[in-house]
Amino acid sequence: MLLLLLWQLSSSAGMLPADVLASPGTIARAGGELIGDGGTLPHAMGVSLRRVAVGLLLGGAVGIALALVSGLSRLGEDLVDAPVQMLRTVPGSASSRCSSSGWGSGRPRRWPSSPWASPSTSI
């Protein structure tokens, strides 16, 4: 709360220009307008929640399938476990950059460039 108060006071005093960092009050008003117009924010939240649900379901299904293949057969363990163990060594910051490079806001998917995004941005 203290940080928000200092932020608001410094914005009101002109120490933080509005074009650089909007005040908490301005942000709250803009959020209220987005909620109040009945379409923008609720729609965007619904789209985001659907994306999260689809990702969770797909990731869970693939993970469970790979776990079953790896755990129930010797051949599956040889084929699945070693690559999965190699992927575990990749840091989270690198893998998130790699996966997010395939998604753009309104742009076509760039899957072919995804494997090269992680090494080039993590250096």
Side-chain angles (χ1 to χ4, degrees):
M1 287 304 283
L2 180 62
L3 181 60
L4 283 175
L5 179 64
L6 289 173
W7 179 10
Q8 180 63 46
L9 290 173
S10 60
S11 293
S12 298
M15 294 173 15
L16 287 174
D19 60 335
V20 174
L21 184 63
S23 70
T26 304
I27 294 170
R29 280 190 296 280
E33 289 173 9
L34 288 174
I35 292 170
D37 74 2
T40 308
L41 189 60
H43 174 70
M45 292 295 289
V47 169
S48 291
L49 288 175
R50 278 191 295 278
R51 288 178 180 169
V52 167
V54 167
L56 179 65
L57 290 173
L58 288 176
V62 169
I64 289 172
L66 288 175
L68 288 172
V69 167
S70 177
L72 295 177
S73 74
R74 189 71 177 149
L75 179 63
E77 182 178 359
D78 293 339
L79 293 176
V80 174
D81 193 48
V84 169
Q85 294 304 322
M86 287 189 306
L87 287 175
R88 288 183 56 204
T89 64
V90 177
S93 59
S95 63
S96 67
R97 288 179 182 164
C98 184
S99 65
S100 66
S101 69
W103 299 98
S105 62
R107 295 176 292 197
R109 305 298 188 257
R110 299 182 305 263
W111 291 114
S113 67
S114 293
W116 295 276
S118 176
S120 64
T121 59
S122 297
I123 295 175

